[in-house]
Amino acid sequence: MANLVSTWSKTTQILPENYIFPVDERPGSVEVPLCQNIPLIDLSQSQSQTVQEILDACQEFGFFQVINHGVSEDLIDDTMKVVKEFFNMPDEEKEKLCSIDPTNSRKFPTKSCKLYTSGSNYANEEIHFWRDNLRHPCYPLDEWVHSWPEKPTNYREIVGKYSIEVRELSLRMLELIREGLGLKPGNFGEELTGGQLLSINHYPRCPDPGLTLGLPKHADPNLITVLSQGSVYGLQIFKDDQWLGVEPLPHAFVVNIGHQLQIISNGKLRSAEHRAVTNSTKDRTTIVSFINPCQDTIIEPAKPMIGNIVPRFRPFKFKDFLKIYAEKKGDAEAITKVYKIQP
Ligand code: OGA
Ligand code: NI
């Protein structure tokens, strides 16, 4: 794949024009402060305390970090190592391992394990994102693991273990959220959690980080996201018209609410917009696990969340939401408008 940014950017000191974002979208030269208020939640404390902290975090920020989460530090380190090794392999090797269709279109993938560069449709984009992206489904593992890269040789074993543990952690957090919302046990069952996608972002060091983005402003289309950002800073969240930096904490996971959980909670929980910036000195690799509803699942505000008030969103099938998400290029306001019931 000739256009992988990690490959050609090694030999250039200049940011190509088609990577330069419009003035109002680019990060610019003003430094975004690391936010000390994004909640850091210790999962080893009492359950009632955790439920309260998670619910507060989901309402105020839509984001939090977790520690003492039960996923071993060695597994996190090994996974980060093996995904970095993947991106360091020669392009020919990577091409053999993944399906790369000529349009580089995520909308119509021909194979389940795919390597992309930039966004959802490279060929039709005006501006490209400064990232390469490997993504594959993970759940149930037996169904998908054979489509994953065969190299590095321990990729499947390590990433398989990681995806199982991170899925379990995600379900555990959904249970705590369910309790906090006062929903009945079983509310986040297989229909809502039957899909898991692993998305590995690789953002090479960039000659001009102020002008471009690894990922532009978006909210995630899924239920809940668990992200491992390693030790390199780059994630920012948008709150009260300001960008806030999320501090990389060793072995912590960053958790955020996706559009689906915002809608199920009738807007009580925030699906916050966020973006990834680049930097000029270090490559940055992030491992993102998305828990998704099944394609045909109907999503709507949970009855107990509505009570005597009216639902704020109309029902829809998850797969139809994904189409709208792609059409609107992740623009949270435009997407929400499609599903919002106007008062
Ligand atoms: C994403 C995402 C942020 C990051 O993959 O949806 O927001 O820091 N990633 O890589
Ligand atoms: Ni995201």
Side-chain angles (χ1 to χ4, degrees):
M1 185 186 229
N3 56 3
L4 284 181
V5 58
S6 50
T7 305
W8 60 257
S9 68
K10 284 198 181 104
T11 53
T12 180
Q13 303 298 317
I14 295 160
L15 185 74
E17 226 164 88
N18 52 1
Y19 282 81
I20 300 180
F21 276 70
V23 179
D24 57 339
E25 289 178 47
R26 64 175 76 146
S29 53
V30 182
E31 192 126 334
V32 166
L34 283 180
C35 178
Q36 300 305 329
N37 299 333
I38 296 170
L40 177 63
I41 300 179
D42 180 347
L43 290 186
S44 68
Q45 63 185 333
S46 80
Q47 176 147 330
S48 58
Q49 181 70 19
T50 312
V51 167
Q52 194 55 54
E53 287 182 16
I54 291 188
L55 206 73
D56 289 348
C58 293
Q59 289 190 78
E60 194 184 347
F61 288 90
F63 264 87
F64 54 95
Q65 302 211 54
V66 288
I67 50 168
N68 292 325
H69 41 61
V71 181
S72 90
E73 298 190 350
D74 284 350
L75 181 59
I76 299 173
D77 291 341
D78 290 350
T79 309
M80 191 53 93
K81 188 162 165 255
V82 81
V83 299
K84 283 183 179 167
E85 275 167 25
F86 173 86
F87 277 104
N88 280 331
M89 292 191 307
D91 282 8
E92 311 80 72
E93 203 63 63
K94 283 181 283 208
E95 275 182 39
K96 271 190 262 162
L97 300 169
C98 300
S99 157
I100 299 161
D101 68 38
T103 58
N104 191 38
S105 165
R106 194 184 299 152
K107 258 197 268 174
F108 306 106
T110 48
K111 218 185 192 184
S112 58
C113 180
K114 299 260 312 175
L115 179 63
Y116 301 89
T117 191
S118 183
S120 56
N121 200 337
Y122 184 90
N124 295 327
E125 283 166 0
E126 241 170 83
I127 301 159
H128 303 309
F129 318 158
W130 192 265
R131 74 146 184 189
D132 296 327
N133 180 235
L134 170 68
R135 51 174 59 206
H136 50 64
C138 305
Y139 180 80
L141 186 62
D142 288 351
E143 206 171 291
W144 299 109
V145 70
H146 307 287
S147 69
W148 295 4
E150 283 173 289
K151 282 188 196 167
T153 47
N154 52 359
Y155 183 97
R156 291 180 180 180
E157 187 198 333
I158 291 173
V159 178
K161 241 190 221 165
Y162 178 89
S163 63
I164 288 175
E165 294 214 8
V166 168
R167 177 180 170 81
E168 277 169 10
L169 175 64
S170 309
L171 298 190
R172 196 172 138 206
M173 282 181 304
L174 280 172
E175 266 308 288
L176 298 168
I177 291 171
R178 178 196 62 70
E179 203 182 314
L181 289 175
L183 300 177
K184 287 205 191 79
N187 250 278
F188 296 130
E190 190 79 7
E191 281 219 314
L192 283 177
T193 61
Q196 183 187 10
L197 183 77
L198 209 68
S199 170
I200 299 144
N201 296 304
H202 184 65
Y203 311 101
R205 69 197 72 177
C206 173
D208 213 334
L211 299 182
T212 192
L213 285 165
L215 262 180
K217 182 163 129 186
H218 69 283
D220 293 346
N222 55 308
L223 196 65
I224 193 167
T225 306
V226 173
L227 175 142
S228 185
Q229 63 168 341
S231 56
V232 184
Y233 167 66
L235 176 61
Q236 298 179 343
I237 70 175
F238 196 61
K239 184 174 189 292
D240 304 328
D241 286 329
Q242 270 185 7
W243 287 105
L244 307 171
V246 181
E247 188 175 3
L249 298 171
H251 304 114
F253 288 108
V254 180
V255 183
N256 68 282
I257 300 301
H259 277 290
Q260 308 311 312
L261 199 44
Q262 170 168 312
I263 291 169
I264 291 166
S265 70
N266 201 32
K268 185 165 180 178
L269 308 184
R270 270 171 64 112
S271 170
E273 291 175 291
H274 53 282
R275 69 182 183 186
V277 298
T278 63
N279 75 82
S280 59
T281 53
K282 286 183 189 143
D283 294 353
R284 176 168 183 264
T285 305
T286 64
I287 310 165
V288 191
S289 164
F290 297 112
I291 298 294
N292 282 320
C294 300
Q295 294 284 310
D296 287 312
T297 300
I298 309 249
I299 305 293
E300 60 188 330
K303 297 282 177 306
M305 301 306 305
I306 302 169
N308 297 329
I309 51 170
V310 283
R312 290 174 58 192
F313 304 94
R314 64 173 175 82
F316 55 86
K317 273 192 184 166
F318 178 59
K319 66 178 174 198
D320 296 329
F321 181 95
L322 290 179
K323 277 187 216 144
I324 299 283
Y325 187 87
E327 263 170 40
K328 306 278 181 201
K329 300 194 171 92
D331 178 341
E333 205 180 305
I335 297 160
T336 313
K337 221 172 165 181
V338 174
Y339 294 104
K340 230 182 193 158
I341 297 173
Q342 298 304 330

